[in-house]
mmCIF file of all heavy atoms in Angstrom:
data_model
loop_
_atom_site.group_PDB
_atom_site.id
_atom_site.type_symbol
_atom_site.label_atom_id
_atom_site.label_comp_id
_atom_site.label_asym_id
_atom_site.label_seq_id
_atom_site.Cartn_x
_atom_site.Cartn_y
_atom_site.Cartn_z
ATOM 1 N N THR X 263 -15.701 -53.690 -42.275
ATOM 2 C CA THR X 263 -15.749 -52.871 -43.525
ATOM 3 C C THR X 263 -15.909 -53.831 -44.724
ATOM 4 O O THR X 263 -16.615 -53.489 -45.637
ATOM 5 C CB THR X 263 -14.390 -52.084 -43.650
ATOM 6 O OG1 THR X 263 -14.297 -51.347 -42.476
ATOM 7 C CG2 THR X 263 -14.430 -51.242 -44.914
ATOM 8 N N LYS X 264 -15.134 -55.032 -44.712
ATOM 9 C CA LYS X 264 -15.222 -55.906 -45.832
ATOM 10 C C LYS X 264 -16.647 -56.579 -45.845
ATOM 11 O O LYS X 264 -17.164 -56.716 -46.995
ATOM 12 C CB LYS X 264 -14.214 -57.089 -45.709
ATOM 13 C CG LYS X 264 -12.721 -56.543 -45.952
ATOM 14 C CD LYS X 264 -11.778 -57.678 -45.792
ATOM 15 C CE LYS X 264 -10.382 -57.312 -46.069
ATOM 16 N NZ LYS X 264 -9.379 -58.385 -45.890
ATOM 17 N N GLN X 265 -17.270 -56.780 -44.665
ATOM 18 C CA GLN X 265 -18.541 -57.388 -44.670
ATOM 19 C C GLN X 265 -19.548 -56.390 -45.215
ATOM 20 O O GLN X 265 -20.445 -56.835 -46.112
ATOM 21 C CB GLN X 265 -18.985 -57.734 -43.191
ATOM 22 C CG GLN X 265 -20.298 -58.471 -43.144
ATOM 23 C CD GLN X 265 -20.634 -58.763 -41.721
ATOM 24 O OE1 GLN X 265 -19.863 -58.417 -40.801
ATOM 25 N NE2 GLN X 265 -21.731 -59.401 -41.435
ATOM 26 N N GLU X 266 -19.423 -55.139 -44.891
ATOM 27 C CA GLU X 266 -20.256 -54.160 -45.479
ATOM 28 C C GLU X 266 -20.160 -54.040 -46.993
ATOM 29 O O GLU X 266 -21.214 -53.926 -47.727
ATOM 30 C CB GLU X 266 -20.093 -52.733 -44.846
ATOM 31 C CG GLU X 266 -20.393 -52.737 -43.311
ATOM 32 C CD GLU X 266 -20.021 -51.360 -42.767
ATOM 33 O OE1 GLU X 266 -19.459 -50.538 -43.522
ATOM 34 O OE2 GLU X 266 -20.339 -51.203 -41.556
ATOM 35 N N SER X 267 -18.842 -54.106 -47.430
ATOM 36 C CA SER X 267 -18.627 -54.157 -48.904
ATOM 37 C C SER X 267 -19.229 -55.255 -49.599
ATOM 38 O O SER X 267 -19.922 -55.169 -50.617
ATOM 39 C CB SER X 267 -17.136 -54.071 -49.113
ATOM 40 O OG SER X 267 -16.847 -54.010 -50.572
ATOM 41 N N LEU X 268 -19.047 -56.462 -48.988
ATOM 42 C CA LEU X 268 -19.614 -57.725 -49.581
ATOM 43 C C LEU X 268 -21.099 -57.737 -49.558
ATOM 44 O O LEU X 268 -21.681 -58.125 -50.509
ATOM 45 C CB LEU X 268 -19.038 -58.889 -48.865
ATOM 46 C CG LEU X 268 -17.608 -59.309 -48.936
ATOM 47 C CD1 LEU X 268 -17.192 -60.403 -47.934
ATOM 48 C CD2 LEU X 268 -17.329 -59.691 -50.400
ATOM 49 N N SER X 269 -21.610 -57.168 -48.443
ATOM 50 C CA SER X 269 -23.082 -57.004 -48.463
ATOM 51 C C SER X 269 -23.630 -56.163 -49.559
ATOM 52 O O SER X 269 -24.629 -56.469 -50.179
ATOM 53 C CB SER X 269 -23.545 -56.531 -47.112
ATOM 54 O OG SER X 269 -24.953 -56.374 -46.958
ATOM 55 N N ALA X 270 -22.928 -55.033 -49.762
ATOM 56 C CA ALA X 270 -23.411 -54.106 -50.840
ATOM 57 C C ALA X 270 -23.278 -54.750 -52.213
ATOM 58 O O ALA X 270 -24.070 -54.638 -53.040
ATOM 59 C CB ALA X 270 -22.607 -52.810 -50.694
ATOM 60 N N GLU X 271 -22.116 -55.434 -52.366
ATOM 61 C CA GLU X 271 -21.936 -56.182 -53.659
ATOM 62 C C GLU X 271 -22.867 -57.244 -53.843
ATOM 63 O O GLU X 271 -23.396 -57.443 -54.940
ATOM 64 C CB GLU X 271 -20.444 -56.773 -53.677
ATOM 65 C CG GLU X 271 -19.994 -57.376 -54.990
ATOM 66 C CD GLU X 271 -19.881 -56.328 -56.081
ATOM 67 O OE1 GLU X 271 -19.645 -55.246 -55.723
ATOM 68 O OE2 GLU X 271 -19.857 -56.751 -57.207
ATOM 69 N N ASN X 272 -23.292 -57.943 -52.778
ATOM 70 C CA ASN X 272 -24.235 -58.975 -52.875
ATOM 71 C C ASN X 272 -25.619 -58.401 -53.303
ATOM 72 O O ASN X 272 -26.420 -59.001 -54.091
ATOM 73 C CB ASN X 272 -24.369 -59.817 -51.590
ATOM 74 C CG ASN X 272 -25.368 -60.912 -51.629
ATOM 75 O OD1 ASN X 272 -25.320 -61.718 -52.523
ATOM 76 N ND2 ASN X 272 -26.259 -61.007 -50.574
ATOM 77 N N THR X 273 -25.964 -57.221 -52.647
ATOM 78 C CA THR X 273 -27.184 -56.548 -52.989
ATOM 79 C C THR X 273 -27.228 -56.136 -54.413
ATOM 80 O O THR X 273 -28.230 -56.327 -55.084
ATOM 81 C CB THR X 273 -27.394 -55.414 -52.067
ATOM 82 O OG1 THR X 273 -27.515 -55.792 -50.744
ATOM 83 C CG2 THR X 273 -28.686 -54.650 -52.357
ATOM 84 N N LYS X 274 -26.065 -55.665 -54.911
ATOM 85 C CA LYS X 274 -25.993 -55.176 -56.259
ATOM 86 C C LYS X 274 -26.129 -56.420 -57.220
ATOM 87 O O LYS X 274 -26.825 -56.322 -58.281
ATOM 88 C CB LYS X 274 -24.572 -54.605 -56.535
ATOM 89 C CG LYS X 274 -24.315 -54.118 -57.969
ATOM 90 C CD LYS X 274 -22.999 -53.506 -58.069
ATOM 91 C CE LYS X 274 -22.777 -53.095 -59.530
ATOM 92 N NZ LYS X 274 -21.268 -52.465 -59.677
ATOM 93 N N LEU X 275 -25.472 -57.526 -56.882
ATOM 94 C CA LEU X 275 -25.605 -58.783 -57.777
ATOM 95 C C LEU X 275 -27.039 -59.263 -57.771
ATOM 96 O O LEU X 275 -27.508 -59.651 -58.831
ATOM 97 C CB LEU X 275 -24.720 -59.805 -57.252
ATOM 98 C CG LEU X 275 -23.202 -59.615 -57.510
ATOM 99 C CD1 LEU X 275 -22.299 -60.663 -56.777
ATOM 100 C CD2 LEU X 275 -22.823 -59.462 -58.980
ATOM 101 N N LEU X 276 -27.738 -59.205 -56.639
ATOM 102 C CA LEU X 276 -29.088 -59.659 -56.530
ATOM 103 C C LEU X 276 -29.992 -58.809 -57.466
ATOM 104 O O LEU X 276 -30.879 -59.402 -58.176
ATOM 105 C CB LEU X 276 -29.596 -59.688 -55.116
ATOM 106 C CG LEU X 276 -29.085 -60.725 -54.167
ATOM 107 C CD1 LEU X 276 -29.541 -60.481 -52.767
ATOM 108 C CD2 LEU X 276 -29.435 -62.093 -54.714
ATOM 109 N N ASN X 277 -29.761 -57.521 -57.362
ATOM 110 C CA ASN X 277 -30.498 -56.571 -58.238
ATOM 111 C C ASN X 277 -30.235 -56.851 -59.691
ATOM 112 O O ASN X 277 -31.135 -56.775 -60.552
ATOM 113 C CB ASN X 277 -30.176 -55.063 -57.914
ATOM 114 C CG ASN X 277 -30.642 -54.754 -56.482
ATOM 115 O OD1 ASN X 277 -31.592 -55.305 -55.933
ATOM 116 N ND2 ASN X 277 -30.074 -53.748 -55.844
ATOM 117 N N GLU X 278 -28.952 -57.038 -59.926
ATOM 118 C CA GLU X 278 -28.573 -57.336 -61.469
ATOM 119 C C GLU X 278 -29.156 -58.609 -61.973
ATOM 120 O O GLU X 278 -29.702 -58.679 -63.013
ATOM 121 C CB GLU X 278 -27.049 -57.410 -61.619
ATOM 122 C CG GLU X 278 -26.421 -55.971 -61.455
ATOM 123 C CD GLU X 278 -24.991 -55.961 -61.600
ATOM 124 O OE1 GLU X 278 -24.325 -57.221 -61.711
ATOM 125 O OE2 GLU X 278 -24.208 -54.979 -61.654
ATOM 126 N N ASN X 279 -29.153 -59.606 -60.996
ATOM 127 C CA ASN X 279 -29.689 -60.949 -61.409
ATOM 128 C C ASN X 279 -31.274 -60.826 -61.608
ATOM 129 O O ASN X 279 -31.784 -61.289 -62.512
ATOM 130 C CB ASN X 279 -29.488 -61.892 -60.176
ATOM 131 C CG ASN X 279 -29.898 -63.337 -60.512
ATOM 132 O OD1 ASN X 279 -29.809 -63.812 -61.645
ATOM 133 N ND2 ASN X 279 -30.670 -64.006 -59.634
ATOM 134 N N GLU X 280 -32.000 -60.025 -60.729
ATOM 135 C CA GLU X 280 -33.400 -59.786 -60.919
ATOM 136 C C GLU X 280 -33.569 -59.114 -62.221
ATOM 137 O O GLU X 280 -34.651 -59.399 -62.909
ATOM 138 C CB GLU X 280 -33.874 -59.053 -59.624
ATOM 139 C CG GLU X 280 -35.444 -58.945 -59.628
ATOM 140 C CD GLU X 280 -36.142 -60.270 -59.586
ATOM 141 O OE1 GLU X 280 -35.509 -61.192 -58.932
ATOM 142 O OE2 GLU X 280 -37.185 -60.457 -60.163
ATOM 143 N N GLN X 281 -32.728 -58.143 -62.439
ATOM 144 C CA GLN X 281 -32.980 -57.337 -63.736
ATOM 145 C C GLN X 281 -32.747 -58.321 -64.958
ATOM 146 O O GLN X 281 -33.573 -58.201 -65.973
ATOM 147 C CB GLN X 281 -31.970 -56.161 -63.841
ATOM 148 C CG GLN X 281 -32.180 -55.290 -65.025
ATOM 149 C CD GLN X 281 -31.207 -54.025 -64.938
ATOM 150 O OE1 GLN X 281 -30.456 -53.907 -63.999
ATOM 151 N NE2 GLN X 281 -31.250 -53.214 -65.997
ATOM 152 N N LEU X 282 -31.781 -59.094 -64.899
ATOM 153 C CA LEU X 282 -31.460 -60.040 -66.040
ATOM 154 C C LEU X 282 -32.713 -61.089 -66.217
ATOM 155 O O LEU X 282 -33.124 -61.323 -67.388
ATOM 156 C CB LEU X 282 -30.279 -60.837 -65.747
ATOM 157 C CG LEU X 282 -28.956 -60.077 -65.941
ATOM 158 C CD1 LEU X 282 -27.687 -60.975 -65.615
ATOM 159 C CD2 LEU X 282 -28.759 -59.681 -67.418
ATOM 160 N N LYS X 283 -33.270 -61.486 -65.031
ATOM 161 C CA LYS X 283 -34.415 -62.349 -65.116
ATOM 162 C C LYS X 283 -35.555 -61.637 -65.833
ATOM 163 O O LYS X 283 -36.269 -62.179 -66.679
ATOM 164 C CB LYS X 283 -34.918 -62.757 -63.692
ATOM 165 C CG LYS X 283 -33.945 -63.852 -63.189
ATOM 166 C CD LYS X 283 -34.402 -64.285 -61.779
ATOM 167 C CE LYS X 283 -33.536 -65.317 -61.119
ATOM 168 N NZ LYS X 283 -34.101 -65.721 -59.789
ATOM 169 N N GLN X 284 -35.754 -60.306 -65.334
ATOM 170 C CA GLN X 284 -36.817 -59.667 -65.999
ATOM 171 C C GLN X 284 -36.608 -59.359 -67.518
ATOM 172 O O GLN X 284 -37.510 -59.429 -68.385
ATOM 173 C CB GLN X 284 -36.969 -58.255 -65.239
ATOM 174 C CG GLN X 284 -38.102 -57.324 -65.764
ATOM 175 C CD GLN X 284 -39.446 -58.008 -65.554
ATOM 176 O OE1 GLN X 284 -39.629 -58.660 -64.593
ATOM 177 N NE2 GLN X 284 -40.413 -57.800 -66.443
ATOM 178 N N GLU X 285 -35.376 -59.089 -67.892
ATOM 179 C CA GLU X 285 -35.014 -58.993 -69.322
ATOM 180 C C GLU X 285 -35.316 -60.244 -70.035
ATOM 181 O O GLU X 285 -35.751 -60.243 -71.195
ATOM 182 C CB GLU X 285 -33.619 -58.528 -69.477
ATOM 183 C CG GLU X 285 -33.341 -57.104 -68.935
ATOM 184 C CD GLU X 285 -31.957 -56.662 -69.082
ATOM 185 O OE1 GLU X 285 -31.034 -57.528 -69.526
ATOM 186 O OE2 GLU X 285 -31.638 -55.583 -68.786
ATOM 187 N N VAL X 286 -34.865 -61.381 -69.454
ATOM 188 C CA VAL X 286 -35.136 -62.766 -70.130
ATOM 189 C C VAL X 286 -36.657 -62.952 -70.340
ATOM 190 O O VAL X 286 -37.157 -63.409 -71.393
ATOM 191 C CB VAL X 286 -34.421 -63.852 -69.275
ATOM 192 C CG1 VAL X 286 -34.969 -65.097 -69.748
ATOM 193 C CG2 VAL X 286 -32.949 -63.779 -69.388
ATOM 194 N N ARG X 287 -37.451 -62.621 -69.200
ATOM 195 C CA ARG X 287 -38.795 -62.828 -69.313
ATOM 196 C C ARG X 287 -39.348 -61.987 -70.486
ATOM 197 O O ARG X 287 -40.247 -62.405 -71.246
ATOM 198 C CB ARG X 287 -39.464 -62.465 -67.990
ATOM 199 C CG ARG X 287 -39.382 -63.660 -66.984
ATOM 200 C CD ARG X 287 -40.289 -63.385 -65.762
ATOM 201 N NE ARG X 287 -39.974 -62.264 -65.097
ATOM 202 C CZ ARG X 287 -39.208 -62.264 -63.985
ATOM 203 N NH1 ARG X 287 -38.725 -63.397 -63.523
ATOM 204 N NH2 ARG X 287 -38.967 -61.079 -63.216
ATOM 205 N N THR X 288 -38.954 -60.673 -70.406
ATOM 206 C CA THR X 288 -39.368 -59.755 -71.455
ATOM 207 C C THR X 288 -39.062 -60.257 -72.853
ATOM 208 O O THR X 288 -39.893 -60.140 -73.766
ATOM 209 C CB THR X 288 -38.849 -58.386 -71.260
ATOM 210 O OG1 THR X 288 -39.176 -57.865 -69.899
ATOM 211 C CG2 THR X 288 -39.383 -57.331 -72.294
ATOM 212 N N ALA X 289 -37.809 -60.659 -73.039
ATOM 213 C CA ALA X 289 -37.225 -61.234 -74.289
ATOM 214 C C ALA X 289 -38.130 -62.401 -74.728
ATOM 215 O O ALA X 289 -38.512 -62.595 -76.063
ATOM 216 C CB ALA X 289 -35.801 -61.498 -74.248
ATOM 217 N N SER X 290 -38.369 -63.269 -73.759
ATOM 218 C CA SER X 290 -39.165 -64.533 -74.068
ATOM 219 C C SER X 290 -40.511 -64.185 -74.506
ATOM 220 O O SER X 290 -41.140 -64.730 -75.405
ATOM 221 C CB SER X 290 -39.262 -65.413 -72.805
ATOM 222 O OG SER X 290 -39.966 -66.538 -73.005
ATOM 223 N N GLU X 291 -41.115 -63.151 -73.786
ATOM 224 C CA GLU X 291 -42.505 -62.832 -74.174
ATOM 225 C C GLU X 291 -42.528 -62.059 -75.518
ATOM 226 O O GLU X 291 -43.362 -62.357 -76.299
ATOM 227 C CB GLU X 291 -43.042 -61.747 -73.106
ATOM 228 C CG GLU X 291 -43.383 -62.434 -71.784
ATOM 229 C CD GLU X 291 -43.699 -61.369 -70.712
ATOM 230 O OE1 GLU X 291 -43.687 -60.144 -71.058
ATOM 231 O OE2 GLU X 291 -43.986 -61.847 -69.545
ATOM 232 N N THR X 292 -41.441 -61.374 -75.829
ATOM 233 C CA THR X 292 -41.328 -60.735 -77.124
ATOM 234 C C THR X 292 -41.229 -61.750 -78.215
ATOM 235 O O THR X 292 -41.826 -61.684 -79.267
ATOM 236 C CB THR X 292 -40.198 -59.756 -77.090
ATOM 237 O OG1 THR X 292 -40.292 -58.774 -76.106
ATOM 238 C CG2 THR X 292 -39.990 -59.018 -78.521
ATOM 239 N N VAL X 293 -40.315 -62.711 -77.893
ATOM 240 C CA VAL X 293 -40.181 -63.810 -78.935
ATOM 241 C C VAL X 293 -41.551 -64.513 -79.186
ATOM 242 O O VAL X 293 -41.866 -64.877 -80.299
ATOM 243 C CB VAL X 293 -39.093 -64.821 -78.519
ATOM 244 C CG1 VAL X 293 -39.116 -66.049 -79.365
ATOM 245 C CG2 VAL X 293 -37.744 -64.152 -78.531
ATOM 246 N N GLU X 294 -42.306 -64.801 -78.083
ATOM 247 C CA GLU X 294 -43.429 -65.510 -78.176
ATOM 248 C C GLU X 294 -44.435 -64.671 -79.001
ATOM 249 O O GLU X 294 -45.290 -65.138 -79.751
ATOM 250 C CB GLU X 294 -44.153 -65.847 -76.865
ATOM 251 C CG GLU X 294 -43.269 -66.785 -76.104
ATOM 252 C CD GLU X 294 -43.966 -67.145 -74.799
ATOM 253 O OE1 GLU X 294 -44.794 -66.507 -74.380
ATOM 254 O OE2 GLU X 294 -43.364 -68.085 -74.054
ATOM 255 N N GLU X 295 -44.474 -63.328 -78.778
ATOM 256 C CA GLU X 295 -45.307 -62.479 -79.458
ATOM 257 C C GLU X 295 -44.985 -62.315 -81.013
ATOM 258 O O GLU X 295 -45.897 -62.224 -81.840
ATOM 259 C CB GLU X 295 -45.377 -61.086 -78.867
ATOM 260 C CG GLU X 295 -45.963 -60.986 -77.417
ATOM 261 C CD GLU X 295 -45.865 -59.734 -76.792
ATOM 262 O OE1 GLU X 295 -45.192 -58.722 -77.464
ATOM 263 O OE2 GLU X 295 -46.297 -59.547 -75.658
ATOM 264 N N THR X 296 -43.618 -62.280 -81.216
ATOM 265 C CA THR X 296 -43.255 -62.114 -82.624
ATOM 266 C C THR X 296 -43.099 -63.409 -83.339
ATOM 267 O O THR X 296 -42.828 -63.402 -84.569
ATOM 268 C CB THR X 296 -41.904 -61.312 -82.666
ATOM 269 O OG1 THR X 296 -40.954 -62.066 -81.854
ATOM 270 C CG2 THR X 296 -41.993 -60.024 -82.085
ATOM 271 N N GLN X 297 -43.204 -64.579 -82.654
ATOM 272 C CA GLN X 297 -42.955 -65.854 -83.361
ATOM 273 C C GLN X 297 -44.138 -65.981 -84.336
ATOM 274 O O GLN X 297 -45.371 -65.922 -83.923
ATOM 275 C CB GLN X 297 -42.968 -66.948 -82.283
ATOM 276 C CG GLN X 297 -42.595 -68.294 -82.904
ATOM 277 C CD GLN X 297 -42.547 -69.419 -81.828
ATOM 278 O OE1 GLN X 297 -42.754 -69.135 -80.679
ATOM 279 N NE2 GLN X 297 -42.080 -70.488 -82.246
ATOM 280 N N PRO X 298 -43.883 -66.369 -85.583
ATOM 281 C CA PRO X 298 -44.968 -66.475 -86.523
ATOM 282 C C PRO X 298 -45.775 -67.657 -86.076
ATOM 283 O O PRO X 298 -45.294 -68.607 -85.608
ATOM 284 C CB PRO X 298 -44.266 -66.682 -87.791
ATOM 285 C CG PRO X 298 -42.818 -67.178 -87.396
ATOM 286 C CD PRO X 298 -42.490 -66.537 -86.129
ATOM 287 N N GLU X 299 -47.058 -67.462 -86.483
ATOM 288 C CA GLU X 299 -48.042 -68.505 -86.196
ATOM 289 C C GLU X 299 -47.780 -69.727 -87.091
ATOM 290 O O GLU X 299 -47.347 -69.484 -88.259
ATOM 291 C CB GLU X 299 -49.599 -68.114 -86.375
ATOM 292 C CG GLU X 299 -49.920 -66.971 -85.312
ATOM 293 C CD GLU X 299 -51.254 -66.445 -85.586
ATOM 294 O OE1 GLU X 299 -51.956 -67.131 -86.416
ATOM 295 O OE2 GLU X 299 -51.700 -65.687 -84.755
ATOM 296 N N GLU X 300 -48.045 -70.853 -86.665
ATOM 297 C CA GLU X 300 -47.858 -72.096 -87.474
ATOM 298 C C GLU X 300 -48.815 -72.089 -88.642
ATOM 299 O O GLU X 300 -49.979 -71.588 -88.531
ATOM 300 C CB GLU X 300 -48.138 -73.304 -86.657
ATOM 301 C CG GLU X 300 -47.900 -74.620 -87.410
ATOM 302 C CD GLU X 300 -48.185 -75.830 -86.556
ATOM 303 O OE1 GLU X 300 -48.539 -75.681 -85.339
ATOM 304 O OE2 GLU X 300 -48.041 -77.007 -87.096
ATOM 305 N N ASN X 301 -48.206 -72.402 -89.816
ATOM 306 C CA ASN X 301 -49.053 -72.306 -91.058
ATOM 307 C C ASN X 301 -50.052 -73.415 -91.060
ATOM 308 O O ASN X 301 -49.790 -74.670 -91.081
ATOM 309 C CB ASN X 301 -48.145 -72.501 -92.258
ATOM 310 C CG ASN X 301 -48.836 -72.387 -93.595
ATOM 311 O OD1 ASN X 301 -50.042 -72.193 -93.700
ATOM 312 N ND2 ASN X 301 -48.147 -72.712 -94.661
ATOM 313 N N PRO X 302 -51.392 -73.042 -90.996
ATOM 314 C CA PRO X 302 -52.420 -74.107 -91.012
ATOM 315 C C PRO X 302 -52.547 -74.834 -92.361
ATOM 316 O O PRO X 302 -53.246 -75.775 -92.404
ATOM 317 C CB PRO X 302 -53.696 -73.336 -90.595
ATOM 318 C CG PRO X 302 -53.431 -71.906 -91.122
ATOM 319 C CD PRO X 302 -51.991 -71.785 -90.922
ATOM 320 N N TYR X 303 -51.977 -74.223 -93.411
ATOM 321 C CA TYR X 303 -52.172 -74.769 -94.743
ATOM 322 C C TYR X 303 -50.740 -75.364 -95.195
ATOM 323 O O TYR X 303 -50.622 -75.378 -96.485
ATOM 324 C CB TYR X 303 -52.640 -73.753 -95.720
ATOM 325 C CG TYR X 303 -53.897 -73.090 -95.174
ATOM 326 C CD1 TYR X 303 -53.879 -71.671 -94.837
ATOM 327 C CD2 TYR X 303 -55.078 -73.794 -95.175
ATOM 328 C CE1 TYR X 303 -55.098 -71.064 -94.430
ATOM 329 C CE2 TYR X 303 -56.254 -73.165 -94.666
ATOM 330 C CZ TYR X 303 -56.247 -71.809 -94.303
ATOM 331 O OH TYR X 303 -57.313 -71.135 -93.954
ATOM 332 N N LYS X 304 -49.963 -75.792 -94.282
ATOM 333 C CA LYS X 304 -48.651 -76.216 -94.778
ATOM 334 C C LYS X 304 -48.682 -77.478 -95.713
ATOM 335 O O LYS X 304 -47.768 -77.715 -96.445
ATOM 336 C CB LYS X 304 -47.737 -76.522 -93.552
ATOM 337 C CG LYS X 304 -48.213 -77.616 -92.736
ATOM 338 C CD LYS X 304 -47.217 -77.920 -91.484
ATOM 339 C CE LYS X 304 -47.759 -78.986 -90.527
ATOM 340 N NZ LYS X 304 -46.884 -79.233 -89.487
ATOM 341 N N ASP X 305 -49.708 -78.204 -95.539
ATOM 342 C CA ASP X 305 -49.873 -79.433 -96.404
ATOM 343 C C ASP X 305 -50.675 -79.263 -97.699
ATOM 344 O O ASP X 305 -50.956 -80.129 -98.537
ATOM 345 C CB ASP X 305 -50.502 -80.558 -95.672
ATOM 346 C CG ASP X 305 -49.760 -81.043 -94.424
ATOM 347 O OD1 ASP X 305 -48.505 -81.012 -94.650
ATOM 348 O OD2 ASP X 305 -50.266 -81.279 -93.368
#
């Protein structure tokens, strides 16, 4: 019973981990998209 519970918990953690990775990737892509372009006339 404990093994089944741990297996279910492990599956849940793996899913949450994958979801967090996806959120980080999405956030990183969003930051890259919203990051202002370097000013070509800064000098």
Side-chain angles (χ1 to χ4, degrees):
T263 302
K264 289 180 180 179
Q265 184 179 3
E266 292 176 358
S267 177
L268 289 173
S269 179
E271 186 69 21
N272 185 49
T273 302
K274 179 181 178 182
L275 289 174
L276 288 174
N277 292 336
E278 290 179 353
N279 185 46
E280 188 62 31
Q281 184 177 357
L282 286 173
K283 286 182 179 179
Q284 183 62 36
E285 290 177 357
V286 169
R287 284 194 292 267
T288 303
S290 177
E291 291 173 358
T292 303
V293 169
E294 290 178 358
E295 290 175 358
T296 58
Q297 188 174 7
E299 295 182 0
E300 184 178 356
N301 180 7
Y303 306 112
K304 63 180 180 180
D305 297 323

